[in-house]
Amino acid sequence: MSEAHKETLGFQTEIKQLLDLMIHSLYSNRDIFLRELISNASDACDKLRFEALDNDSLYAGDSDLGIWIEVDRKARTISVRDNGVGMNRDEAIRNLGTIARSGTREFFSQLTGDRARDASLIGQFGVGFYSSFIVAQRVTVESRRAGDAEDQGIRWVSTGDGEFTIETITRKERGTTVTLQLRDNDADGEEGHEYDSLLDAYKLRQLVRNYSDHIAIPVRMKAEKWDADKQEMLETGEWEVVNQAKALWLRPRNEVTEKEYDEFYRHITHDFEGPLAYTHNRVEGRSEYTQLLYIPKHAPFDLWDRQQRHGIRLYVRRVFIMDDAEQLIPGYLRFVRGVVDSSDLPLNVSREILQESRDIRLIREGNVRRVLTLLEDLAENRKADYVRFWRAFGQVLKEGVGEDSKNREKIAALLRFRTTGEPIRIDVEAPDASGAAPKAAVAEDGIEDAVIKGEENTAGAADGKGKDAKDADEDVKNADGLISLAQYKARMKDGQKAIYYITSDSEAGARQSPHLEIFRKKGIEVLLLSDRVDEWMLSHLHEFDGTPLESVARGQLDLGDLEDEAERKASEEVAADYKDLVERLKTTLGERVKDVQVSHRLTDSAACLVSGEHDMSATLERMLKQAGQSVPTRKPVLEINPDHPLVQRLKSEDGRFDDWSSLLLDQATLADGGKLEDPVGFVRRMNDLLLASSH
Ligand SMILES: Nc1ncnc2c1ncn2[C@@H]1O[C@H](COP(=O)(O)OP(=O)(O)OP(=O)(O)O)[C@@H](O)[C@H]1O
């Protein structure tokens, strides 16, 4: 088959879905097509400039890079042309027919068919070039790659209904022209859908200016003049530059408007929404560079994909070098987007050189410092926004506790936790791309009844603490049930020496754990941790601001000064009283437990399991097993509650002591979220005992 042959090819399934969704649900965002086309054109110019660093001949004498936009009112077309790098046949098929992003399939499987919901999801994905089909019934892309012969141009045409054609053409100019044949008004029977206003040169110019003012490449449109005879604006035939054409990040901060920062963010991220916050600085000294870093409002669809390719763009003296320069930002801040422009790096810098470079190390440290400062500022001054950030990226930030020991303290101060000192909240909706604040509901199952009712008086404040604690509580109310370690400390009981936490597979599981009973009784707040990353994070976070962090389910529980002398004495007496029972249980349960102890933790439950001081926690063990890792067998310590009637009864039990003790251990295992080794035996024993007690 000759290359010039015209081929008809099908879009990848996901693109078909994307096109269908876009055409039918993104009409109200239709103008974004222009931003996407201008962004792509500007990227293509950046790429050519970069490739030409090594091979000047790619310019073929024309290094004056630009973008040209033209309207043909009669033909109802808009075209966007650039003299950037262009595409050859293979690239056009690959780039404009498939979405080669990992995670895409899973992303599309989340779409529900509910247009409003899906439209907001699609915002996380970034529709790019395909957004042209929101306004165009036919899109034609003509292109020739820099360095290719004139007869190696391509024409790609599609009406967005599942197929595209591609043919080889002769094209004089290097670069790409995208021509949109606009839809008819009320196309597809959608009443009120009109497209003619896009042909109004004045309006279009305003749109173009909106979307391109911050772009470093000049964008040109045909100049127009008022014709008094014809009483209309007519093109003069001259091209005029409509944007400022100066790299936004190089402009002084006070000359850039919020709107421009916002638009620039959308340009580099293809995000539907603007950013949550940004930081823009010119750094001088040991290393000279400019950084413009943004924090998005929502997580991208591939946040958990460590291969994801977005991130920070690296420029060297205004020349684009690479996308997603991962050396510029550590993994735990991978949600940050933006631009770094270095004055020191060589233009021929490669990814390999970046790894070694001292300048890059300085820039990376500078980026981390700025982002953490920005987050501190949000946490301090824009609490609702910080909560939004936390919900979107908190789990990623937690990785920093282990990854970045230098900044551990700072990161720890930015952590937020659910806690027993706050009402239960059930997430009914994840943060979405529509800008709506995430919703939460307070559950009414009464588990934490006292706390729900006493919403005003959270654990510590109820004790009449000072002003700081009250201020801290005020903040808590704005914080969607999340508190910081500093707030926890401010609410600590007199005599409390540790920050207590519990880990579990879910927040609900954590809240119901028997390990919390004594803490509830004494009104001590406990942090509830249920993210996968938590166990790992906690293995790196042993203290905060001088106060140790302690698991409520580990080792000998020592409540220190929170227990008075009388309580301590009573415990000792009980321990002596139950010594025989403990020994009998140890002998009976044998290898199944590491030890048996009389518990200080329990008030309601008969028994619970605890981990040894240095043992792996049960939650971590389960996680590792789920991940298919071999885990050394860990024997739990069984704690029994001397005040529980079942345990009291055991003291005088003879005939069925074995069954009773097994049952006690199995119960404790289940309450801990664990799995029984012999569930059938458990059921049999329970039924036997039930029957025996009913006789
Ligand atoms: N004007 C152009 N010149 C050269 N290549 C282009 C042009 N427009 C698009 N492309 C190619 O097509 C690809 C797909 O474009 P598209 O806008 O869909 O996504 P993107 O810009 O890569 O990514 P995203 O929108 O997700 O950030 C681009 O990555 C680029 O390789």
Side-chain angles (χ1 to χ4, degrees):
M1 195 187 300
S2 108
E3 279 287 288
H5 178 74
K6 186 166 169 179
E7 268 184 288
T8 301
L9 298 169
F11 282 123
Q12 200 190 7
T13 329
E14 284 80 12
I15 296 191
K16 271 192 238 166
Q17 264 178 291
L18 175 67
L19 289 176
D20 193 54
L21 179 68
M22 243 173 15
I23 294 167
H24 292 109
S25 54
L26 291 186
Y27 174 79
S28 53
N29 290 309
R30 59 178 196 168
D31 295 349
I32 60 166
F33 81 91
L34 204 55
R35 177 195 315 136
E36 300 299 326
L37 293 183
I38 294 174
S39 275
N40 284 344
S42 143
D43 288 351
C45 293
D46 274 351
K47 276 184 211 155
L48 175 59
R49 194 176 281 154
F50 178 65
E51 287 188 16
L53 289 174
D54 287 341
N55 180 6
D56 201 46
S57 70
L58 287 177
Y59 281 137
D62 174 18
S63 60
D64 193 5
L65 303 180
I67 300 171
W68 292 263
I69 297 178
E70 234 175 321
V71 182
D72 183 334
R73 254 167 278 178
K74 272 208 194 92
R76 298 185 80 250
T77 60
I78 299 176
S79 66
V80 178
R81 172 164 68 88
D82 65 71
N83 60 354
V85 73
M87 280 176 278
N88 60 29
R89 190 177 176 111
D90 287 348
E91 286 167 332
I93 293 175
R94 199 171 52 240
N95 297 333
L96 309 180
T98 52
I99 309 179
R101 293 186 227 168
S102 55
T104 301
R105 191 146 292 166
E106 297 85 272
F107 175 79
F108 275 88
S109 67
Q110 290 174 30
L111 299 181
T112 57
D114 168 354
R115 279 189 200 171
R117 209 185 102 80
D118 289 350
S120 75
L121 264 183
I122 213 80
Q124 296 170 31
F125 186 77
V127 288
F129 165 78
Y130 301 104
S131 60
S132 306
F133 289 101
I134 306 173
V135 298
Q137 52 177 299
R138 187 174 63 244
V139 179
T140 306
V141 181
E142 294 188 342
S143 191
R144 177 163 68 81
R145 204 184 197 294
D148 282 358
E150 287 188 4
D151 61 0
Q152 291 301 303
I154 59 106
R155 178 182 295 126
W156 178 106
V157 183
S158 178
T159 50
D161 51 8
E163 290 179 337
F164 62 91
T165 61
I166 183 131
E167 64 188 305
T168 303
I169 58 165
T170 297
R171 181 177 158 92
K172 264 187 123 77
E173 315 95 338
R174 167 195 76 220
T176 306
T177 308
V178 180
T179 306
L180 310 185
Q181 172 72 57
L182 293 189
R183 290 179 184 280
D184 296 327
N185 293 338
D186 297 335
D188 300 326
E190 302 266 15
E191 232 172 279
H193 283 197
E194 71 80 31
Y195 302 91
D196 285 352
S197 58
L198 293 168
L199 296 166
D200 175 336
Y202 177 75
K203 277 198 186 150
L204 190 68
R205 189 176 297 251
Q206 283 204 312
L207 268 186
V208 170
R209 197 165 281 142
N210 262 347
Y211 290 142
S212 67
D213 220 19
H214 51 269
I215 282 180
I217 311 271
V219 178
R220 295 183 176 85
M221 288 181 75
K222 288 265 176 70
E224 288 195 327
K225 238 185 169 168
W226 179 250
D227 186 311
D229 293 342
K230 293 197 171 146
Q231 286 290 299
E232 61 175 324
M233 296 291 284
L234 290 182
E235 283 180 0
T236 63
E238 300 281 308
W239 287 101
E240 65 178 359
V241 177
V242 295
N243 63 341
Q244 292 205 32
K246 183 156 195 282
L248 175 125
W249 62 90
L250 296 181
R251 287 160 53 193
R253 242 188 327 215
N254 56 7
E255 286 177 18
V256 184
T257 63
E258 289 300 312
K259 199 167 161 289
E260 286 175 312
Y261 278 121
D262 192 292
E263 264 312 320
F264 184 68
Y265 166 80
R266 292 171 197 250
H267 160 61
I268 55 174
T269 60
H270 299 259
D271 197 339
F272 265 46
E273 279 191 287
L276 189 67
Y278 63 84
T279 173
H280 181 192
N281 315 283
R282 165 116 199 97
V283 182
E284 279 159 10
R286 282 192 296 165
S287 178
E288 290 199 4
Y289 61 95
T290 300
Q291 65 192 169
L292 171 53
L293 305 175
Y294 291 94
I295 296 176
K297 280 193 177 136
H298 59 88
F301 79 103
D302 53 359
L303 181 67
W304 300 106
D305 178 4
R306 281 200 160 253
Q307 304 297 316
Q308 56 135 329
R309 58 192 188 114
H310 299 287
I312 295 185
R313 291 184 179 203
L314 176 64
Y315 287 75
V316 172
R317 292 181 290 283
R318 280 198 51 211
V319 177
F320 169 77
I321 304 294
M322 66 182 79
D323 259 332
D324 186 23
E326 68 262 32
Q327 286 86 357
L328 294 180
I329 201 95
Y332 75 95
L333 297 178
R334 62 182 176 277
F335 48 84
V336 173
R337 302 281 177 266
V339 167
V340 165
D341 192 338
S342 160
S343 310
D344 305 321
L345 289 168
L347 277 168
N348 61 357
V349 65
S350 65
R351 286 193 191 263
E352 291 69 38
I353 295 178
L354 284 188
Q355 274 169 7
E356 309 292 318
S357 160
R358 168 186 157 276
D359 289 305
I360 286 291
R361 214 188 55 241
L362 290 173
I363 294 176
R364 181 182 162 106
E365 284 169 9
N367 285 346
V368 170
R369 207 168 31 248
R370 285 295 175 176
V371 173
L372 293 181
T373 309
L374 182 60
L375 292 176
E376 281 164 2
D377 182 53
L378 277 187
E380 189 62 30
N381 302 313
R382 290 166 55 192
K383 295 199 162 54
D385 283 340
Y386 190 71
V387 169
R388 191 167 184 181
F389 158 79
W390 182 257
R391 292 175 66 101
F393 303 114
Q395 290 194 50
V396 183
L397 187 70
K398 283 177 178 177
E399 295 170 14
V401 172
E403 241 174 68
D404 187 353
S405 52
K406 234 169 140 182
N407 288 299
R408 186 170 297 148
E409 281 284 303
K410 276 183 175 228
I411 299 167
L414 289 166
L415 300 175
R416 294 294 179 269
F417 300 89
R418 285 284 156 80
T419 141
T420 55
E422 291 295 311
I424 306 167
R425 279 157 199 274
I426 297 171
D427 297 343
V428 288
E429 206 173 275
D432 61 28
S434 66
K439 289 180 208 143
V442 175
E444 289 180 3
D445 61 3
I447 300 170
E448 289 281 271
D449 217 19
V451 183
I452 291 177
K453 284 188 194 131
E455 205 171 339
E456 311 284 289
N457 293 326
T458 46
D463 287 348
K465 292 228 164 186
K467 182 180 169 297
D468 285 354
K470 288 212 184 88
D471 282 353
D473 286 339
E474 201 38 52
D475 293 345
V476 167
K477 274 194 221 140
N478 299 325
D480 194 28
L482 292 161
I483 68 161
S484 67
L485 292 172
Q487 285 167 322
Y488 180 99
K489 280 194 67 169
R491 308 192 324 193
M492 267 168 41
K493 289 253 176 196
D494 290 338
Q496 185 179 342
K497 296 216 165 56
I499 297 170
Y500 292 105
Y501 66 83
I502 181 164
T503 58
S504 181
D505 304 341
S506 68
E507 187 182 328
R511 280 187 189 272
Q512 290 171 25
S513 167
H515 295 117
L516 294 182
E517 289 172 8
I518 183 71
F519 292 88
R520 200 170 290 141
K521 184 175 161 207
K522 290 192 168 287
I524 304 169
E525 189 166 17
V526 178
L527 302 177
L528 306 164
L529 291 121
S530 55
D531 285 341
R532 287 183 80 82
V533 60
D534 285 337
E535 288 283 352
W536 185 75
M537 174 185 77
L538 288 163
S539 67
H540 296 274
L541 188 66
H542 305 295
E543 54 112 31
F544 175 73
D545 191 20
T547 307
L549 270 86
E550 274 182 26
S551 163
V552 299
R554 187 182 288 261
Q556 286 282 3
L557 182 66
D558 177 10
L559 292 178
D561 297 348
L562 291 167
E563 275 181 322
D564 56 34
E565 212 30 61
E567 280 176 312
R568 235 183 296 254
K569 226 166 152 226
S571 314
E572 279 165 20
E573 277 167 21
V574 171
D577 193 21
Y578 278 77
K579 199 161 172 274
D580 288 347
L581 178 62
V582 164
E583 287 307 320
R584 275 178 82 195
L585 279 170
K586 265 197 236 179
T587 318
T588 311
L589 294 172
E591 285 299 295
R592 294 173 66 191
V593 293
K594 187 170 172 181
D595 201 1
V596 179
Q597 289 166 4
V598 176
S599 182
H600 309 302
R601 292 172 224 258
L602 302 174
T603 59
D604 303 329
S605 305
C608 70
L609 299 184
V610 297
S611 304
E613 197 69 62
H614 305 291
D615 282 352
M616 188 183 286
S617 80
T619 316
L620 181 58
E621 184 184 318
R622 274 197 295 279
M623 260 172 56
L624 291 175
K625 277 189 180 155
Q626 274 168 13
Q629 301 208 17
S630 65
V631 185
T633 327
R634 178 193 62 101
K635 282 192 248 160
V637 174
L638 177 70
E639 284 199 0
I640 52 167
N641 176 5
D643 295 329
H644 199 280
L646 211 66
V647 175
Q648 285 167 354
R649 185 203 150 129
L650 256 184
K651 264 175 110 181
S652 53
E653 176 70 40
D654 271 330
R656 289 182 170 267
F657 189 83
D658 286 8
D659 283 347
W660 279 113
S661 20
S662 283
L663 204 63
L664 212 56
L665 178 62
D666 286 349
Q667 272 188 7
T669 308
L670 288 174
D672 204 40
K675 260 189 161 175
L676 298 182
E677 270 175 26
D678 176 17
V680 176
F682 168 73
V683 173
R684 183 177 44 72
R685 269 191 294 276
M686 195 169 67
N687 288 345
D688 286 353
L689 293 172
L690 282 173
L691 279 173
S693 68
S694 65
H695 286 149

